Amino acid sequence: MKHIRNFCIIAHIDHGKSTLADRLLELTSTLSARDMENQVLDDMDLEKEKGITIKSHAIQMIHTYKGEKYKLNLIDTPGHVDFSYEVSRSIASCEGALLVVDASQGIQAQTISNLYMAIDHGLEIIPVLNKIDMESAQVEVVSDEICDLLGCKPEDIFKVSARTGEGVPPILDAIVERIPAPQGDPDAPLQALIFDSVFNPFRGVIAYFKIRNGSLKKTDKIKFFVTGREYDVEEVGILRMKLVPTDEISCGDVGYIITGVKVASEVKVGDTITLAGNPCSKAIEGFEEVKPMVFAGMYPVQADKFEELRTVLEKFQLNDASFVYEPESSLALGSGFRCGFLGLLHLEIVQERLFREYDMDVITTVPNVSFKVYSTQGDVTDVHNPSGLPSPTLIDHIEEPYIRAQIISKSEFFGPIMKLCLDKRGTLVSQHYITADRVELNYDMPLSEIVFDFYDKLKSISKGYASFDYHQTGYRPSKLVKLDILLNGEPADALSSLIHEDNAYTFGRKMCEKLKDLIPRQQFDIPVQAAIGAKIIARETVKQVRKDVTAKCYGGDVTRKRKLLEKQKEGKKRMRQIGRVQVPQSAFMAVLKLD
């Protein structure tokens, strides 16, 4: 065990984690030069296109230090706030972390929140200052920031350029020297934490785990602690670029296991693996439950694909443990699922991955958050969907989730950012200057205000410099109303939303204007209305497509034209009574992009 080191790389988005991981893999010759490519651990096309890490990836490297060989298990983590659950799982299975900070951008909000998470788990932190080869790098200034944050000395910080490889080799020695070896008892009953899993159509579920106590052999019979199911081990092995089978995984090490489980729900991430014959007494702690922030409905485009969508979501949940779902039905869209996400980027990525990896096209409804509704009888219900709201006479009050937002920005954007937060019903908690030209703002804000376009607006007013992180702080009473959108007099439940009383009129007005442009014209006039209860607050009309019925009248009496027009008018009226309005998917998505 003393020759094993488990570590992860944590940083803000785009500070160079994946590039640093590439250099470490090159230096330890884990990959041949022929197989090497940029961001080699990001194996999804989507990750390479967007330049972000979505899933954490584990890989084992061998490093020789003072004549002895050490196994280094690296878990690369995402940097975006929406994938912080992946980071928490990686941190739970490591003893140390490389904290990467971009020398040109300095410390960002996500850096701080990931660092606190690592310190809470007692990880040894190795600070790394990246991108020192850039012209805009402020090495001295950012080094001082890191020293203030960590309380370390400037000489403890590794100054590197992950792109060119300058200064990277000493990091490998530091990992061996500074990060402690894993603790555990090799002779105790087996206790292993599942930190990730993937679904393979031929082999079934492949679970990645870290052994805390005991060891696991290929011949063992294992048991999952939470589900209580028992299985024979088909294959165990270590994680290189490909899965490498071995006979035994020892205490403290990281590996994978294949048991031939074909049902996705039987393997839970965060579960403990133990031996069926000699089980451990309790599961491993320190693993947090996922808390979805944003909810949206997902429905198959064709109604008969409902069961297929269920199977796809089950498999997808293995690859993304922070995604949760439950069945629901809607008047407009039929049967589907209510899904929970960690944020809007997460929702966008899930939708894109379902289409690319499983060829599943889905309709996604307007995202919203969950509210607590207190009835006049004193009951409390959680409402995820505006259509699940009781009638207004039965509601005593509604509470909505609040978050503590931490924004770090250049001080020149201080004014516009404060205005944005105030417009979103935020209250300033504290502000302080990290350096002369960088300020940290802490706000209490309703989560529902952030769901739509807060992040995009923050980035545009700060020219991309501001960074943003948040955590939920609880629920507070709020004046919320249900805004319905009526198409041709029928409520379109997929477009309804719960919104603060003060913003309802402007939001309803914008919704109607946007939908007027997006809904295709029919043979009859379609009124698009926004309503609160029985009160209409905004209206637009999608004009009908008309045929020129008077074209065949050349000359003659005007009554002939009149008669034809009256006949057409009657037909339009009848059509409007039985006509149904189809809402295109672009209309649902456009609601998110209301500016």
Side-chain angles (χ1 to χ4, degrees):
M1 272 173 71
K2 67 176 194 288
H3 288 98
I4 298 175
R5 299 288 183 272
N6 300 317
F7 70 102
C8 58
I9 302 180
I10 53 177
H12 187 79
I13 185 168
D14 205 24
H15 278 205
K17 295 176 297 301
S18 300
T19 317
L20 181 62
D22 291 351
R23 297 293 83 76
L24 295 177
L25 293 176
E26 271 179 3
L27 287 168
T28 53
S29 311
T30 306
L31 276 182
S32 62
R34 193 181 62 186
D35 294 333
M36 197 63 209
E37 55 179 311
N38 283 341
Q39 298 173 348
V40 69
L41 288 181
D42 294 351
D43 52 8
M44 268 183 247
D45 295 342
L46 203 57
E47 291 180 313
K48 289 198 165 63
E49 277 168 34
K50 290 186 180 278
I52 56 176
T53 305
I54 293 169
K55 268 197 72 61
S56 51
H57 295 270
I59 190 163
Q60 190 179 90
M61 306 178 280
I62 304 292
H63 175 57
T64 309
Y65 174 71
K66 292 186 178 171
E68 292 187 16
K69 284 193 173 174
Y70 286 84
K71 272 191 217 170
L72 310 181
N73 291 312
L74 159 68
I75 302 177
D76 182 28
T77 63
H80 197 281
V81 59
D82 279 12
F83 304 114
S84 52
Y85 185 62
E86 293 277 335
V87 183
S88 78
R89 301 198 332 239
S90 305
I91 286 175
S93 40
C94 290
E95 281 83 37
L98 298 182
L99 179 75
V100 179
V101 180
D102 184 333
S104 59
Q105 292 183 46
I107 286 174
Q108 303 281 340
Q110 196 60 36
T111 317
I112 295 175
S113 83
N114 285 347
L115 173 69
Y116 287 156
M117 203 191 297
I119 290 173
D120 286 347
H121 279 83
L123 269 63
E124 181 64 38
I125 309 289
I126 299 178
V128 177
L129 188 61
N130 191 18
K131 305 193 187 181
I132 57 166
D133 58 324
M134 287 178 72
E135 287 175 16
S136 58
Q138 303 167 300
V139 178
E140 299 304 320
V141 177
V142 181
S143 295
D144 291 345
E145 282 182 29
I146 297 174
C147 293
D148 288 348
L149 185 66
L150 285 175
C152 62
K153 300 186 182 74
E155 56 269 20
D156 293 342
I157 301 170
F158 289 88
K159 299 176 179 65
V160 305
S161 163
R163 189 168 58 94
T164 60
E166 176 193 344
V168 178
I171 293 181
L172 287 166
D173 293 345
I175 290 168
V176 175
E177 286 167 10
R178 294 198 202 171
I179 293 177
Q183 301 294 315
D185 180 359
D187 303 322
L190 172 69
Q191 212 181 12
L193 174 74
I194 302 178
F195 65 85
D196 206 354
S197 58
V198 292
F199 187 82
N200 181 313
F202 307 107
R203 313 289 312 263
V205 179
I206 303 173
Y208 298 159
F209 62 86
K210 179 202 170 188
I211 296 187
R212 187 71 60 86
N213 291 312
S215 61
L216 181 60
K217 299 183 187 64
K218 196 177 169 182
T219 52
D220 288 337
K221 189 181 172 87
I222 58 146
K223 174 179 157 187
F224 290 134
F225 209 86
V226 173
T227 55
R229 307 271 179 123
E230 298 186 1
Y231 301 99
D232 291 319
V233 179
E234 284 182 15
E235 182 178 307
V236 294
I238 54 172
L239 301 155
R240 291 285 174 88
M241 274 317 284
K242 296 186 173 65
L243 305 177
V244 182
T246 54
D247 290 332
E248 183 179 9
I249 305 272
S250 57
C251 184
D253 213 345
V254 174
Y256 73 91
I257 181 169
I258 300 175
T259 54
V261 182
K262 288 287 192 284
V263 184
S265 57
E266 288 178 18
V267 178
K268 291 201 172 358
V269 170
D271 198 351
T272 302
I273 303 176
T274 185
L275 294 178
N278 182 14
C280 58
S281 54
K282 64 180 199 307
I284 296 174
E285 295 163 7
F287 196 82
E288 55 187 71
E289 272 294 305
V290 58
K291 296 191 223 34
M293 295 281 191
V294 174
F295 295 88
M298 278 193 171
Y299 297 86
V301 177
Q302 286 122 355
D304 56 348
K305 293 251 178 105
F306 174 70
E307 282 303 323
E308 195 181 318
L309 179 61
R310 184 197 293 274
T311 320
V312 165
L313 291 182
E314 258 190 23
K315 290 177 185 170
F316 182 78
Q317 197 177 28
L318 273 183
N319 286 348
D320 186 348
S322 53
F323 170 74
V324 291
Y325 66 93
E326 59 185 39
E328 73 159 3
S329 62
S330 141
L331 293 172
L333 299 165
S335 296
F337 293 93
R338 183 106 200 120
C339 307
F341 307 91
L342 296 182
L344 271 192
L345 177 73
H346 189 204
L347 179 138
E348 197 183 306
I349 295 287
V350 168
Q351 205 177 344
E352 184 72 22
R353 281 182 68 188
L354 288 176
F355 180 65
R356 289 192 186 193
E357 294 171 28
Y358 302 96
D359 202 19
M360 191 81 219
D361 213 356
V362 291
I363 293 174
T364 313
T365 63
V366 180
N368 52 30
V369 299
S370 68
F371 299 90
K372 286 193 186 303
V373 178
Y374 290 79
S375 70
T376 44
Q377 273 86 32
D379 301 332
V380 186
T381 43
D382 277 339
V383 175
H384 300 314
N385 199 341
S387 59
L389 208 62
S391 73
T393 50
L394 299 174
I395 298 174
D396 181 43
H397 68 281
I398 303 177
E399 290 190 349
E400 62 176 336
Y402 262 69
I403 59 157
R404 172 67 54 86
Q406 179 192 37
I407 300 165
I408 295 179
S409 160
K410 287 196 165 179
S411 45
E412 63 195 85
F413 307 118
F414 186 64
I417 288 175
M418 286 189 81
K419 183 181 180 307
L420 173 69
C421 294
L422 290 171
D423 289 349
K424 297 283 187 186
R425 300 192 282 135
T427 48
L428 182 66
V429 180
S430 66
Q431 64 180 66
H432 78 271
Y433 282 82
I434 301 172
T435 60
D437 65 337
R438 295 189 59 213
V439 64
E440 180 189 325
L441 297 168
N442 286 301
Y443 270 89
D444 277 344
M445 298 170 86
L447 180 61
S448 55
E449 294 286 342
I450 282 186
V451 164
F452 281 114
D453 53 1
F454 179 80
Y455 195 63
D456 297 346
K457 281 187 176 169
L458 180 70
K459 282 290 181 199
S460 59
I461 62 176
S462 67
K463 300 184 180 157
Y465 278 112
S467 68
F468 167 67
D469 184 49
Y470 62 85
H471 59 270
Q472 204 164 344
T473 54
Y475 285 79
R476 296 187 192 179
S478 189
K479 278 190 188 164
L480 296 166
V481 290
K482 182 184 172 192
L483 183 75
D484 284 315
I485 299 293
L486 310 176
L487 301 175
N488 199 14
E490 296 279 321
D493 65 337
L495 288 169
S496 60
S497 53
L498 274 172
I499 192 160
H500 197 265
E501 215 171 58
D502 303 347
N503 305 342
Y505 174 73
T506 44
F507 187 71
R509 169 97 267 143
K510 282 180 185 167
M511 283 273 282
C512 291
E513 285 167 5
K514 196 91 178 184
L515 288 168
K516 179 192 168 191
D517 301 336
L518 288 163
I519 289 173
R521 289 168 68 183
Q522 311 274 352
Q523 297 279 339
F524 53 93
D525 273 355
I526 305 170
V528 180
Q529 296 163 308
I532 297 173
K535 183 181 170 192
I536 305 290
I537 58 168
R539 163 172 176 148
E540 294 285 336
T541 308
V542 180
K543 281 300 188 195
Q544 62 196 12
V545 184
R546 295 187 61 156
K547 183 180 168 189
D548 188 2
V549 287
T550 58
K552 61 186 178 187
C553 296
Y554 43 94
D557 193 2
V558 70
T559 53
R560 290 179 61 195
K561 287 186 180 174
R562 228 353 353 111
K563 182 180 157 195
L564 287 168
L565 288 167
E566 286 298 328
K567 190 176 170 190
Q568 184 187 33
K569 198 171 167 187
E570 283 300 313
K572 296 279 181 203
K573 205 169 172 183
R574 201 165 53 245
M575 210 180 269
R576 186 174 155 186
Q577 284 167 358
I578 58 166
R580 298 221 25 209
V581 184
Q582 292 293 327
V583 185
Q585 168 71 7
S586 58
F588 292 116
M589 293 320 287
V591 179
L592 310 184
K593 304 203 163 53
L594 285 178
D595 30 274

